[in-house]
Amino acid sequence: MEKIIYKIFLVVLLFLALQEGQAQENAEIRKIKFKGNDAFNDGELLDKITFREATWVGKTFFKKEPSFYSVEAWEMNKAQLKAFYQSEGYLHVKIHDPEIDEPTGKYKVELKIRIEENKPVVVDSVSFETYSEGATDSLFDDGGWRRHLKRMEVEQGMRFQDDLVNSDQDAISEWFSSQGYAYVKVEPKVALSKDTSSAVINWQISKGPFCRLGELTIEGVRRTPEEAIQKQLAVTPGDPYSSGKLSRSQKQVYELGLFRIASLQAGLSNQQPDTIPLTLTIEEAPRWSTRFGVGYGREDQFRTFVDIDYLNFPGKTMRSNFYAKHSGLEPYRFEATITQPAVFGPSSSLEFNPEVGRRSEEGFESFRWGGDLSLHQNLSDEITASVSLYFERVNIDIESDFERSLSELNQSTYSKNGISLGMLFNTAKPRFDPANGWSLAFNTRANSSLFNSPYPFLKYLFEAKRYQPLTNGVVLAMRFEGGSILPVGKGVVTPFEERYFAGGSQSVRGWARQMLGPMDEDGVPIGGNSIIEGSIEPRVKVIGPVSLVGFLDYGNVWRSQNMFKVNDMRFAAGAGIRVSTPIGPVGLDFARPVFESLKKWQIHLNIGHAF
């Protein structure tokens, strides 16, 4: 009898286990948690597998397809996790089958995945040798090679990582191919120690023949003179082959701004000849192109613009642009830009920019016309410098009775002219929604440096931006800006429209536009000669194109030149939402002052981040 009861008990347990397994099979995955993952956070691991957490928001509003658990699907995800860990040097990683909870009932599960990472493989040594000449190849004594070694990713004592080894492989190939070896082949020979705790990397380099560049053929050109294109090239027939110079040549041709496609290809072949012909394939951009847009912002209200490009005019390599805009802040603005690229070399351009417009701010209204002639020079891929000569004629109506009464500011119509200089270092990418890199800018202008003007001054502004990725989907964005205006010579005051103002959607967001800083007795902003502004803003991707931000802004404006009082700094805090679009993120921010008696909320709606 006892044996029968025992058998019945086993059958019931087996039946319940099968029922549980069937309930888990094809159940929707609500949440995934990892344990024991010290080297990588949960977000990084989730990116490496096909399982996805299903949220109500994602499914309802963004039509995200949920993942479903099955033994077969788990085995595939387990293999993906193991492959990722091993590519990062954790050869002895163990991925345990998940603990499965059903907190919300049948067909919905939570997975808890335990990982034993164990110790990773460490790089014991790195060496180099060529097939033709061995480890004593004379190229290894080249100063360029020694500088290149300092930029190698994989070093002795660090964790072995497949991605870094692949990166070094590409870098070594690129260096040799830039020395004339177009057919170089580079392979890493990796030897593990007996206990598999360390690895020795020996780079095997087959250089192939030394090559020179042959004849250049240009295809697809209709409007642009071939001579102008050839001047953009960093190579000529007979030069040693250099992949780096070919890449730079292609980039410089494209920077003429006249082409949709500019592709420079070397005629490499399996026979490995030592003379390599080049083919430059061009597809010219349409001669006419037009952009038109409308929008709305809390500060500029309804806005619209039209932007027209006309290529190969007025010269055969020149570009012309016409831009017109209307908004609440700029009732009208018309400007033209005529660009002559490659004026003093492949990386320089000359721009003539006449414009006329009306500006309407809280503290003044102005009408201005004028223009500037600017020379731009790319010093490197990251650094650009510019110098400009400018002239402006200004008619201004100042709102403040006190400012209008100043004897030093008694001209409503006047001219400005001078020289301005600028420098920009930029590694921030991507362009419209930066997630990594720096942007450093310095600009200065000397008014009345060409002809006499009633308000001579020297103005400078420095701005630094940093975009630092923290974890998966989280970027810390930071900004600092500081500058001043110094009246010089007979100058006593600075032109009203040149002064610094703070507050608004791209400034200290707890204040309305231009409402932070010096005011007259009627509360009209009158601006100042010195400014400091800054922001700290974590940006968190939530789901799909939606991100959330929190921010702390700080800053102030002072009347006097070179006056920066830390005790006078004002602060604002807030939060916002961003939705990514092809033209950049659309943002809605809510902010208010902190450490202030008056804490009125400000709402800002704009296209693009605040910085």
Side-chain angles (χ1 to χ4, degrees):
M1 186 64 180
E2 291 179 356
K3 290 183 179 180
I4 295 174
I5 295 173
Y6 179 69
K7 290 181 180 180
I8 294 173
F9 178 70
L10 289 178
V11 170
V12 171
L13 286 179
L14 180 60
F15 176 77
L16 292 174
L18 289 173
Q19 287 293 102
E20 182 181 4
Q22 290 173 357
Q24 294 166 356
E25 196 77 5
N26 297 321
E28 184 180 288
I29 299 174
R30 302 288 294 185
K31 197 167 188 62
I32 303 173
K33 296 180 180 179
F34 295 93
K35 295 181 179 180
N37 51 314
D38 297 325
F40 309 100
N41 61 46
D42 287 14
E44 290 174 301
L45 296 183
L46 283 172
D47 276 347
K48 305 304 176 183
I49 60 178
T50 53
F51 277 162
R52 292 290 177 264
E53 298 176 327
T55 64
W56 179 83
V57 172
K59 292 190 295 181
T60 305
F61 295 102
F62 301 104
K63 307 302 180 184
K64 294 288 185 180
E65 294 293 332
S67 294
F68 297 92
Y69 178 83
S70 70
V71 173
E72 183 179 355
W74 160 246
E75 290 299 328
M76 181 180 69
N77 280 262
K78 180 179 180 179
Q80 291 170 336
L81 277 176
K82 187 172 183 179
F84 167 68
Y85 263 100
Q86 290 183 338
S87 72
E88 292 290 329
Y90 292 88
L91 293 184
H92 308 293
V93 66
K94 292 183 179 179
I95 312 294
H96 294 270
D97 290 338
E99 300 175 23
I100 304 175
D101 295 333
E102 301 177 75
T104 56
K106 196 174 182 181
Y107 302 123
K108 300 184 189 303
V109 296
E110 292 184 357
L111 306 182
K112 296 179 182 178
I113 303 170
R114 187 166 66 88
I115 298 173
E116 291 183 49
E117 293 178 334
N118 297 312
K119 291 184 177 181
V121 176
V122 175
V123 177
D124 187 56
S125 65
V126 181
S127 60
F128 306 85
E129 62 179 305
T130 61
Y131 288 174
S132 58
E133 299 185 37
T136 59
D137 194 308
S138 59
L139 280 177
F140 294 148
D141 297 326
D142 184 273
W145 171 252
R146 290 194 294 270
R147 288 191 296 273
H148 177 77
L149 281 179
K150 295 178 181 179
R151 297 194 295 269
M152 296 280 285
E153 299 276 4
V154 179
E155 298 178 351
Q156 181 180 0
M158 67 179 295
R159 171 164 54 90
F160 186 96
Q161 299 171 68
D162 285 357
D163 286 348
L164 298 187
V165 172
N166 293 336
S167 175
D168 282 353
Q169 183 176 19
D170 292 340
I172 296 169
S173 297
E174 183 178 349
W175 189 86
F176 273 88
S177 65
S178 294
Q179 307 303 308
Y181 297 96
Y183 300 98
V184 65
K185 294 182 180 178
V186 179
E187 294 292 339
K189 185 178 179 181
V190 180
L192 288 172
S193 62
K194 290 184 178 180
D195 60 0
T196 66
S197 64
S198 63
V200 171
I201 303 175
N202 178 251
W203 289 102
Q204 302 283 310
I205 304 166
S206 175
K207 295 189 299 184
F210 181 82
C211 302
R212 293 188 178 275
L213 298 176
E215 182 182 358
L216 170 67
T217 303
I218 301 178
E219 300 176 347
V221 178
R222 300 191 312 275
R223 303 188 306 262
T224 308
E226 288 193 6
E227 315 87 73
I229 297 174
Q230 290 174 343
K231 288 181 180 179
Q232 293 297 99
L233 300 176
V235 295
T236 57
D239 287 350
Y241 178 91
S242 171
S243 60
K245 289 184 178 180
L246 292 178
S247 296
R248 189 163 78 249
S249 296
Q250 178 173 295
K251 182 175 182 291
Q252 290 174 173
V253 170
Y254 186 78
E255 285 177 346
L256 283 174
L258 304 172
F259 311 126
R260 179 179 287 166
I261 295 174
S263 176
L264 182 60
Q265 299 293 325
L268 303 177
S269 69
N270 293 331
Q271 286 72 36
Q272 298 190 2
D274 59 8
T275 299
I276 300 174
L278 300 176
T279 302
L280 177 60
T281 303
I282 295 293
E283 181 181 330
E284 292 181 317
R287 194 162 194 178
W288 285 98
S289 62
T290 303
R291 295 189 305 126
F292 173 78
V294 296
Y296 179 86
R298 286 278 295 182
E299 294 175 352
D300 48 9
Q301 305 298 312
F302 172 78
R303 62 191 177 203
T304 183
F305 76 90
V306 61
D307 191 359
I308 301 172
D309 286 318
Y310 188 48
L311 303 182
N312 304 98
F313 178 84
K316 292 184 178 181
T317 60
M318 299 175 77
R319 310 190 304 266
S320 296
N321 171 267
F322 175 78
Y323 181 81
K325 180 183 179 181
H326 162 76
S327 72
L329 296 176
E330 293 180 292
Y332 59 85
R333 175 159 63 96
F334 302 97
E335 65 177 283
T337 303
I338 299 174
T339 303
Q340 174 61 70
V343 64
F344 294 126
S347 299
S348 65
S349 63
L350 191 66
E351 289 186 354
F352 175 56
N353 178 221
E355 63 176 298
V356 59
R358 182 171 294 278
R359 183 177 168 192
S360 179
E361 297 283 1
E362 188 71 23
F364 68 93
E365 288 194 7
S366 68
F367 168 80
R368 58 181 290 273
W369 62 268
D372 59 70
L373 183 66
S374 302
L375 175 65
H376 300 271
Q377 178 70 50
N378 294 331
L379 303 179
S380 70
D381 290 341
E382 296 83 21
I383 302 175
T384 302
S386 64
V387 58
S388 302
L389 306 178
Y390 68 89
F391 173 85
E392 294 178 7
R393 186 69 175 172
V394 180
N395 182 282
I396 190 166
D397 181 14
I398 300 173
E399 184 70 21
S400 170
D401 293 333
F402 171 77
E403 289 292 308
R404 285 202 307 269
S405 69
L406 295 177
S407 60
E408 298 87 352
L409 201 65
N410 58 5
Q411 299 190 49
S412 61
T413 302
Y414 49 87
S415 298
K416 296 185 297 185
N417 65 85
I419 300 174
S420 63
L421 303 172
M423 185 76 74
L424 173 65
F425 171 81
N426 186 24
T427 61
K429 295 180 181 179
R431 179 180 177 185
F432 294 116
D433 191 6
N436 195 7
W438 284 90
S439 176
L440 304 175
F442 179 77
N443 292 280
T444 183
R445 62 191 307 191
N447 197 48
S448 298
S449 55
L450 299 178
F451 311 103
N452 288 333
S453 171
Y455 305 115
F457 63 83
L458 178 67
K459 183 177 183 178
Y460 70 87
L461 184 68
F462 171 78
E463 184 178 53
K465 301 175 185 177
R466 171 61 176 159
Y467 306 95
Q468 176 64 53
L470 299 180
T471 61
N472 185 52
V474 180
V475 174
L476 180 63
M478 296 171 284
R479 176 180 74 99
F480 174 83
E481 178 182 283
S484 192
I485 310 173
L486 293 70
V488 296
K490 297 181 180 179
V492 178
V493 298
T494 52
F496 203 90
E497 79 284 356
E498 289 283 352
R499 297 178 186 177
Y500 292 117
F501 296 85
S505 63
Q506 296 182 328
S507 178
V508 184
R509 283 165 278 185
W511 280 263
R513 180 179 173 85
Q514 297 194 348
M515 298 305 289
L516 174 59
M519 305 276 183
D520 70 3
E521 60 183 10
D522 297 320
V524 176
I526 56 177
N529 284 347
S530 300
I531 187 172
I532 285 181
E533 284 186 348
S535 300
I536 301 173
E537 182 175 286
R539 300 171 180 173
V540 183
K541 287 193 177 295
V542 179
I543 189 169
V546 178
S547 300
L548 296 178
V549 303
F551 53 83
L552 175 68
D553 297 337
Y554 59 89
N556 209 342
V557 175
W558 295 269
R559 286 282 281 175
S560 300
Q561 62 194 50
N562 285 336
M563 176 181 286
F564 310 104
K565 294 183 178 180
V566 177
N567 292 339
D568 290 343
M569 208 72 73
R570 314 294 284 276
F571 297 86
I577 186 170
R578 305 281 185 270
V579 179
S580 296
T581 71
I583 59 173
V586 176
L588 182 64
D589 288 339
F590 301 86
R592 69 175 187 174
V594 294
F595 313 123
E596 304 283 336
S597 57
L598 181 63
K599 297 185 177 181
K600 182 180 178 181
W601 284 96
Q602 298 292 329
I603 302 174
H604 304 286
L605 173 63
N606 263 313
I607 294 178
H609 287 293
F611 61 96

